[in-house]
Amino acid sequence: MGLIFLIGFMGSGKTTLGRKLANKIGYEFIDLDHKLEQQVELSIAEYFTLFGEDAFRRLESEVLKKTIYPENVIISTGGGLPCFFDNMDWMNAHGRTVYIKLAPKTLADRLESGKEERPLLQEKHGDALIGFIEQKLAERESFYLQANVIADGLSLTAEKLEQILNGN
Ligand code: S3P
């Protein structure tokens, strides 16, 4: 199957599902956010604070394109990555892309905890968090929808994802 990119909003389960699926089908797993953090020896939150979002977007695009991927690999991507530069086209040209789709309310529930590590979500709670997600998702969805496969993220499991990728 080659390179499989999991895309979607923060909190959609890209990393958790990606790791499980990779284990299940004997693929390697790469989390691009984690790879970026290792390269710069800073957390993403620290990188945002020091250099700002524009620099982060340039760096994440570079990490996407310069990483040497194993032959068979599941790659989880940061929520904004498909929406900048030609990253979405690049992923579609080099592998298969899967959009894990969830509604804003579901994403907000999942993101209410664990916001500390996500610079875009700091200080946002309750209705403000849902409103922010609705707005960002509206901006981003035209990119996400360019994925080869769109998977309903609600109660999605590694098993289901494997079936979807096999076309069942
Ligand atoms: C971001 C999502 C994060 C990370 C950064 C920006 C975004 O990744 O890349 O905080 O713009 O949606 P996750 O989707 O893995 O949380």
Side-chain angles (χ1 to χ4, degrees), residues 119-139:
L120 295 178
L121 300 182
Q122 277 161 17
E123 320 285 324
K124 297 187 182 74
H125 301 277
D127 287 349
L129 180 61
I130 298 179
F132 172 82
I133 295 171
E134 279 171 350
Q135 191 204 327
K136 272 268 172 262
L137 203 53
E139 289 166 23

Side-chain angles (χ1 to χ4, degrees), residues 90-105:
W90 192 93
M91 289 188 284
N92 278 331
H94 288 82
R96 299 172 72 193
T97 48
V98 182
Y99 170 29
I100 303 176
K101 186 173 158 68
L102 281 171
K105 175 78 175 75

